[in-house]
Amino acid sequence: MSDTAPWQARMPRSVLDLYCPSDHLVTTPTDRRMLWHLESELAVAATNDRLRRLASDLRRYLNDTCAHHWHEREAEAGIPAHRQCLWCSDVEWIGGETP
């Protein structure tokens, strides 16, 4: 893709789509979604200690300040019903059961 293309053309669906993979409306602002995308890219591509520290700090910041977008999951295959955040992957068990 050309560097002259709009930045939106280079973004994954998670940054710009109005709906999450479960077809729920995502109200998380684009700037916050962009930070999650950058964190993901840094986690994979950090090639030196400075970038790895930056990736770690960004991950901690995003986890500490996450405005959760929950996905409800029904119990299946020995895993109790729960909900999981689309962004930080936090899990809350429903009904007090934990695996």
Side-chain angles (χ1 to χ4, degrees), residues 6-78:
W7 66 269
Q8 295 91 335
R10 290 186 291 277
M11 291 299 108
R13 292 180 55 193
S14 61
V15 174
L16 298 172
D17 277 5
L18 292 176
Y19 295 91
C20 72
S22 299
D23 289 329
H24 299 113
L25 181 65
V26 176
T27 58
T28 306
T30 303
D31 59 344
R32 186 67 178 198
R33 294 162 76 168
M34 176 68 92
L35 287 174
W36 281 108
H37 171 62
L38 291 174
E39 183 281 328
S40 177
E41 291 292 314
L42 278 172
V44 172
T47 56
N48 60 50
D49 287 340
R50 188 175 69 80
L51 288 177
R52 283 189 283 276
R53 276 193 304 275
L54 179 62
S56 176
D57 289 345
L58 181 56
R59 165 61 77 171
R60 288 179 186 154
Y61 166 75
L62 288 170
N63 281 334
D64 289 349
T65 61
C66 188
H68 301 299
H69 178 82
W70 296 110
H71 283 233
E72 304 283 331
R73 306 281 188 220
E74 296 195 19
E76 64 177 70

